[in-house]
Amino acid sequence: MAEFSSVGKNVPRVDVFEKVTGSAIYADDRQFGAGLYYGRLVRSPYAHALIKKIDVSKALEVPGVKAVVTGKDFPGRIGLYLVDRPIFAADRVRYVGDPVAGVVAVSEEIAEEAARLVEVEYEELPAVFDPLEAIKPDAPLLHPDLGSYKVAPFIHPVPGTNISEHFKLRRGDVESAWSQCAAIVEEEFRLPQIQHVPIETHVAVAIWEPSGEVTLWTSSQSPFAQRDLIAQSLGIPHGNLRVISPYVGGGFGGKAGVSIEVYAVAMARAVMGHPVKLRMTREEEFVGTTVRQSLVAHVKVGCDADGNLLAMEVSYYFGGGAYNDYGVNIARAAGYSCTGPYYIPNVKGDSYCVYTNQPIGSAMRGFGMPEIHWGLEQAMDQLAEKIGMDPVEFRRRNCVKTGQIIATGMTMPNVDLVACIDKVAKAVNWGKKEPPSAPHKKRGKGLAIMWKAPAMPPNPGSSAIVRFNEDATVNVEIGAQELGQGAFTVAAQIAAEALGVPYDWVRVSAPIDTKYSPYEWQTVASRITWSMGNAVKAAAEDAKRQILELVAEHWDEDPEDLDIKDGKVISYKSERELSLKGLVVYGLPNEDFEGWKGGPIVGRGKFMPTYVTSLDPETGQGTRAVVHYTVGAQAVDLEVDTETGQVEIIKIASAYDVGKAINPDLVLTQIEGGAVHGMSSTFEALKFDEKGRPLNPSFVDYRIATAADIPKEIHGDIVETPLEDGPWGARGIGEHVMVQTAPAIANAIYNAIGVRFNELPLSAEKIFMAMREKEE
Amino acid sequence: MGMHSITVTVNGEKEYLEVPSHMTLLQMLREKLAITGPKNGCSAGECGACTVLLDGEPVNSCMVLAVEVDGHEVVTVEGLAKEGQLTPLQQAFIEHNAVQCGFCTPGMLISAEALLKRNPHPTEEEIKEALVGNLCRCTGYIRIIRAVQTAAEKGGA
């Protein structure tokens, strides 16, 4: 491989000048002028109730109110994998915050005032909040019509229950394997709902023109999926619905799929010709958009005397909240990846998504993996301890390796997890007992490993277009979104590399606009560098081929002998060279200007995985469950203050196998930010009272990590084992970086104080009380 | 709803505005002047995304009423760079990749600017303390802290 010019280089982000000068535009920043109206949602105060009557007459009387819409106006449902969510609740509310009506007014204040005057008569029903309670035969049923909902072919709801998805994995013979085990660990682990907490709350502005054309401006990871789902649910022809999505102020999965955007469009229909802005308050963002699902995990795992894993039996019960239109696929992902990053010959796995009367569970950074790794990675430590093996050695021995047949029957693609383990172990001086900084503190080290596959339908596509300007600068058109992860920068680097032009010649066409941007399924699943990257590379190669054929004809040479370097076409044979400037738009003249050849160069490219197979619904077995896995390891060195229970993290070291780092420093920024996100999530929980009413939907009561809370040192290592079908071998990294942080911290705390915590969140108080209990 | 006539200097420009009593400084900047660098992250003074300089001091502009800034001077992130020339802090944020989604960046830059003005050579602890009211969910803060250190080494904001 020749030297790289752009790929693998730490070039500056394409979006950074705008972002440090305040000129970067986000969804709330666009000015709509005097015609702008504001929307406000009327939300249910009950966790579970029947709607008897809605009276909007008082709200409509408020001066400045333009419309009030309810479920009567919009009878449809919406959903990606399971179409279970009404646009507005019409007959039943299923969580505190379930929207029952939308008020449109000339100001936010008037809309808010009028929303309080919408009178809704409810008949309260028994509610259920714990997934284990919700699966009992006598539990209140949230979706009696589950059997009639439209569902993706690979999702398996159980009508007549609260189970919206049941994924089964069966491999080998677990029952007879237990008797061969020298040690077995069996534990229950739990974690609560938490929220993504992007600093930008959800914002959507919609206008429904009298012509029937609809435009939606939205902070979104999924402009194309929103077009598709909203068009279907509201009966808008796809070509009439245009979704424009400027920079996203933090997504983390919360802005994937459709959440509040459909309400903005629905309200806009009632006031045709006027844009309607719907902006979530911070309180609504916490409990009225989407959250990460809760989980109860039963984990049983055993190994022989040499430390070889022999059997695993797991049951995962995800508390999916009121609607599981996206969450069902999280339970499925947790099902096919249920072993974690280990080779285990005998596996019985059951993963359930369960309706509960709580906020809507959906995608969040890691998509089920942080949830299941919380228990798995503690259980592995416990098992290693039982047979007297070092946790690092135990993981090196059992972790998944290239070419192994993993639990679904798929052959493991290229990864080097052992290299990741070794790097983080070294970074924290694994095996070396180091003293605490004070006599009242105890120091400990812990380690955890992870895997995650992009969890998506088998055939999500990406496309890209590469166009030239007269001076040979390049516009790259993509449909992938810039959430902060660096998608635009990676697109520009890949285009520059594949075309042979300098990086700073490349512009990324933004904002993403479904009317002008080429199709992209969604900016989720850590799939963009890989999938969009392949599409951009293909588009650039298509453009390059056109240029080389043109110049080859001009020079009467073979295109095979030509190349583009640093913005010039060169011939390895004749050593001629020609600048791209001009020719990429105007073409080239024939001899003596007897006519011209060529013309504006437009390259097009696409990528779609074609090889993912279905899985047997009874065993979860199939040739290829997923496109690939990304793997990694984290090690934590920390101190616990025995007087307060406070945890102080000295160092988090992370290593991930990204295949090929297109921009190594941007990979490190993901690794560092993810480590802190993961640390913060260890101490986070949404809390509810016994009626399901949220108790802490504010920054004061739901704390996220501040600058003062971060580890003293955050260390990152990059491993590069090329992925077979990634651009130059690249695979994604955005989500993996927080998957195993919580169990790594828990393992380090155990190492420090000898206490295990099976339930998140952790807190200083909880740790302090546990230490005291242990002493007694 | 009472209206008030105010005069306020924003990023060096004198503005004459009619504002209602309940309008916040953040609303005034974003809705009256289309200065959208300061962001609305919570409307409660808890996230720092709306931080601006009011007579040189950092404030959460969502917690200040527009009428209160009558006769005063406001600087937003848009007022930091002069004629396209970035400040040392802005340059350091670029150099260190201290920006991801960018939504907290305007507030971060303003808080850091104020810190370096009053304390040109802050310790790491002082930087963390100065930024504790500016929440960021992407970066893990480490690059932001390094960027402030670099700007300080290069001679202030």
Side-chain angles (χ1 to χ4, degrees):
Chain A
M1 184 85 211
E3 275 290 291
F4 287 108
S5 59
S6 293
V7 158
K9 311 287 184 200
N10 292 328
V11 297
R13 301 175 63 105
V14 295
D15 53 347
V16 76
F17 190 94
E18 286 173 272
K19 287 180 173 177
V20 299
T21 54
S23 58
I25 294 296
Y26 298 79
D28 196 29
D29 295 342
R30 199 188 140 95
Q31 304 293 310
F32 287 89
L36 178 66
Y37 292 164
Y38 296 85
R40 179 85 187 167
L41 296 173
V42 179
R43 293 176 177 274
S44 164
Y46 296 106
H48 198 190
L50 296 176
I51 298 172
K52 307 306 280 186
K53 193 175 145 204
I54 302 179
D55 182 353
V56 302
S57 56
K58 282 188 183 140
L60 280 170
E61 283 167 18
V62 177
V65 169
K66 297 294 178 182
V68 182
V69 297
T70 68
K72 266 192 197 152
D73 308 310
F74 299 97
R77 276 192 299 268
I78 194 164
L80 180 59
Y81 297 107
L82 173 66
V83 187
D84 69 353
R85 188 149 58 96
I87 294 164
F88 289 99
D91 57 345
R92 179 193 292 255
V93 289
R94 298 177 175 90
Y95 74 102
V96 174
D98 209 349
V100 295
V103 176
V104 183
V106 296
S107 76
E108 260 179 327
E109 293 80 7
I110 294 171
E112 189 178 347
E113 182 196 336
R116 281 195 291 267
L117 297 175
V118 173
E119 292 173 346
V120 187
E121 199 184 304
Y122 295 100
E123 180 187 322
E124 205 177 343
L125 296 171
V128 62
F129 308 109
D130 183 296
L132 293 188
E133 293 296 319
I135 57 169
K136 288 181 177 167
D138 59 346
L141 215 51
L142 272 73
H143 291 265
D145 298 330
L146 177 58
S148 69
Y149 295 166
K150 197 178 156 204
V151 61
F154 48 85
I155 298 297
H156 308 291
V158 186
T161 74
N162 285 318
I163 297 168
S164 57
E165 158 71 354
H166 179 191
F167 184 91
K168 297 177 208 169
L169 197 146
R170 305 286 182 265
R171 177 197 217 180
D173 181 356
V174 173
E175 285 314 316
S176 55
W178 295 127
S179 59
Q180 299 158 38
C181 290
I184 294 172
V185 166
E186 189 169 7
E187 295 280 340
E188 181 179 290
F189 298 91
R190 281 177 176 260
L191 46 87
Q193 286 190 334
I194 63 173
Q195 221 263 332
H196 315 73
V197 199
I199 308 304
E200 178 203 41
T201 61
H202 281 64
V203 183
V205 183
I207 184 165
W208 195 306
E209 301 288 0
S211 65
E213 295 200 45
V214 180
T215 305
L216 170 65
W217 292 265
T218 167
S219 174
S220 174
Q221 298 177 232
S222 316
F224 290 90
Q226 290 188 346
R227 178 182 66 178
D228 186 25
L229 298 178
I230 293 172
Q232 286 185 50
S233 69
L234 295 182
I236 305 167
H238 283 70
N240 278 11
L241 177 55
R242 176 182 177 191
V243 182
I244 301 172
S245 189
Y247 287 127
V248 174
F252 313 109
K255 290 168 184 162
V258 174
S259 63
I260 59 115
E261 301 77 15
V262 68
Y263 303 117
V265 178
M267 287 190 261
R269 195 180 79 179
V271 289
M272 280 193 190
H274 282 273
V276 177
K277 179 182 276 194
L278 181 63
R279 184 159 55 83
M280 293 297 100
T281 65
R282 180 54 60 182
E283 180 181 351
E284 285 181 297
E285 186 69 25
F286 270 114
V287 290
T289 58
T290 60
V291 302
R292 189 171 90 179
Q293 306 186 123
S294 68
L295 177 69
V296 180
H298 293 148
V299 178
K300 183 178 178 186
V301 58
C303 66
D304 66 19
D306 297 327
N308 299 305
L309 285 170
L310 294 183
M312 173 181 273
E313 185 170 348
V314 288
S315 303
Y316 299 137
Y317 302 92
F318 284 91
Y323 304 103
N324 297 348
D325 54 301
Y326 212 119
V328 287
N329 199 41
I330 298 171
R332 181 175 190 267
Y336 59 65
S337 294
C338 70
T339 56
Y342 294 94
Y343 175 78
I344 308 175
N346 302 288
V347 182
K348 179 170 186 276
D350 291 276
S351 185
Y352 303 88
C353 194
V354 183
Y355 287 119
T356 56
N357 293 109
Q358 287 177 308
I360 303 167
S362 191
M364 181 174 146
R365 200 176 200 177
F367 207 73
M369 296 303 106
E371 296 94 305
I372 67 169
H373 283 70
W374 164 245
L376 288 175
E377 279 303 277
Q378 291 202 72
M380 293 300 174
D381 252 34
Q382 288 169 284
L383 197 55
E385 187 182 12
K386 266 195 172 176
I387 56 150
M389 189 180 262
D390 179 78
V392 166
E393 185 46 40
F394 184 81
R395 287 181 173 84
R396 292 176 99 258
R397 174 178 293 237
N398 287 294
C399 76
V400 69
K401 294 168 187 90
T402 306
Q404 284 176 336
I405 307 297
I406 57 174
T408 52
M410 167 179 163
T411 304
M412 188 66 188
N414 265 353
V415 289
D416 193 347
L417 184 45
V418 172
C420 298
I421 295 170
D422 290 347
K423 279 188 186 299
V424 300
K426 183 163 176 256
V428 298
N429 297 319
W430 188 263
K432 191 175 165 210
K433 194 87 188 151
E434 291 177 270
S437 63
H440 65 284
K441 292 182 178 177
K442 289 189 172 174
R443 188 161 173 178
K445 294 176 189 178
L447 180 125
I449 62 176
M450 63 75 61
W451 73 350
K452 183 190 179 296
M456 52 196 188
N459 58 339
S462 297
S463 54
I465 295 168
V466 166
R467 289 189 293 118
F468 281 93
N469 301 309
E470 292 86 339
D471 62 355
T473 56
V474 181
N475 295 327
V476 176
E477 297 172 10
I478 52 173
Q481 184 55 287
E482 179 54 66
L483 320 172
Q485 84 284 43
F488 286 6
T489 303
V490 162
Q493 286 182 266
I494 288 175
E497 186 70 46
L499 279 169
V501 303
Y503 166 72
D504 60 8
W505 287 17
V506 182
R507 308 285 180 272
V508 178
S509 298
I512 304 308
D513 181 336
T514 59
K515 191 165 177 174
Y516 299 111
S517 307
Y519 180 83
E520 181 65 66
W521 179 61
Q522 297 191 73
T523 300
V524 298
S526 303
R527 60 181 282 278
I528 291 302
T529 298
W530 161 73
S531 183
M532 171 209 75
N534 277 328
V536 170
K537 186 164 180 272
E541 286 167 350
D542 181 38
K544 181 177 176 178
R545 182 187 49 77
Q546 295 172 43
I547 294 166
L548 295 185
E549 282 172 1
L550 170 67
V551 177
E553 187 191 341
H554 189 66
W555 285 346
D556 196 20
E557 292 195 40
D558 187 341
E560 295 294 311
D561 294 326
L562 307 190
D563 202 352
I564 302 176
K565 292 280 176 199
D566 203 29
K568 292 194 244 347
V569 180
I570 57 168
S571 167
Y572 292 119
K573 196 174 174 193
S574 64
E575 297 192 350
R576 277 188 282 197
E577 59 175 61
L578 184 60
S579 167
L580 290 179
K581 292 183 197 300
L583 78 87
V584 286
V585 171
Y586 302 123
L588 288 166
N590 294 330
E591 207 171 325
D592 299 328
F593 290 88
E594 292 291 317
W596 288 69
K597 53 185 166 291
I601 301 291
V602 179
R604 64 186 180 128
K606 70 171 170 67
F607 178 77
M608 188 180 87
T610 53
Y611 42 71
V612 172
T613 60
S614 64
L615 302 178
D616 185 284
E618 293 306 316
T619 64
Q621 296 297 308
T623 311
R624 189 151 179 181
V626 295
V627 289
H628 58 258
Y629 279 92
T630 297
V631 299
Q634 271 180 334
V636 173
D637 182 2
L638 56 70
E639 290 183 329
V640 179
D641 186 322
T642 58
E643 289 173 358
T644 62
Q646 290 279 357
V647 174
E648 191 172 336
I649 296 181
I650 296 165
K651 187 172 189 173
I652 295 186
S654 313
Y656 293 90
D657 189 343
V658 302
K660 169 72 188 172
I662 303 295
N663 186 318
D665 203 51
L666 290 190
V667 172
L668 290 176
T669 63
Q670 287 304 301
I671 286 176
E672 295 159 6
V676 173
H677 195 178
M679 179 200 78
S680 185
S681 73
T682 309
F683 300 89
E684 294 175 20
L686 283 168
K687 293 176 182 149
F688 303 89
D689 71 8
E690 75 290 350
K691 291 281 204 179
R693 289 174 294 221
L695 294 171
N696 61 339
S698 77
F699 279 131
V700 170
D701 298 314
Y702 183 111
R703 304 298 300 249
I704 67 167
T706 71
D709 301 321
I710 65 171
K712 282 189 182 146
E713 196 182 340
I714 307 173
H715 175 88
D717 279 308
I718 296 169
V719 173
E720 294 182 311
T721 310
L723 172 66
E724 292 86 340
D725 71 343
W728 294 282
R731 62 173 87 77
I733 184 64
E735 294 176 271
H736 313 82
V737 289
M738 67 173 283
V739 164
Q740 75 282 37
T741 317
I745 289 172
N747 288 340
I749 291 174
Y750 176 76
N751 183 243
I753 63 171
V755 180
R756 283 255 165 229
F757 296 91
N758 286 19
E759 186 166 359
L760 285 174
L762 301 184
S763 67
E765 185 188 2
K766 200 163 155 180
I767 293 168
F768 178 80
M769 296 306 284
M771 281 190 293
R772 217 164 70 170
E773 204 172 296
K774 185 173 176 257
E775 276 169 19
E776 278 165 8
Chain B
M1 175 160 61
M3 295 294 285
H4 305 265
S5 300
I6 64 168
T7 308
V8 54
T9 304
V10 181
N11 297 332
E13 294 286 323
K14 204 161 228 186
E15 308 285 356
Y16 303 88
L17 299 168
E18 290 284 312
V19 297
S21 307
H22 65 269
M23 179 174 262
T24 65
L25 172 56
L26 178 62
Q27 287 172 320
M28 184 198 90
L29 291 167
R30 294 180 56 86
E31 293 164 24
K32 287 269 177 184
L33 296 172
I35 291 173
T36 56
K39 303 298 184 206
N40 182 346
C42 69
S43 299
E46 291 157 9
C47 75
C50 67
T51 309
V52 301
L53 295 177
L54 178 56
D55 298 334
E57 292 296 319
V59 295
N60 287 315
S61 61
C62 72
M63 301 303 285
V64 176
L65 289 173
V67 291
E68 293 180 80
V69 302
D70 188 17
H72 293 269
E73 190 181 350
V74 174
V75 176
T76 72
V77 67
E78 287 95 336
L80 294 180
K82 299 279 187 286
E83 289 162 6
Q85 180 59 45
L86 300 179
T87 64
L89 258 174
Q90 288 171 316
Q91 288 169 19
F93 268 57
I94 293 176
E95 183 190 326
H96 286 283
N97 268 327
V99 175
Q100 289 190 28
C101 85
F103 203 76
C104 74
T105 309
M108 284 287 181
L109 282 165
I110 292 288
S111 290
E113 178 88 9
L115 167 69
L116 294 186
K117 281 268 153 61
R118 68 171 184 271
N119 178 3
H121 300 289
T123 64
E124 188 174 327
E125 286 310 307
E126 286 169 336
I127 295 170
K128 288 179 178 175
E129 208 172 291
L131 299 180
V132 84
N134 292 85
L135 297 178
C136 170
R137 194 60 150 172
C138 299
T139 66
Y141 302 99
I142 178 171
R143 303 294 185 110
I144 294 170
I145 293 162
R146 267 186 230 157
V148 177
Q149 286 170 329
T150 296
E153 283 158 19
K154 288 187 177 165

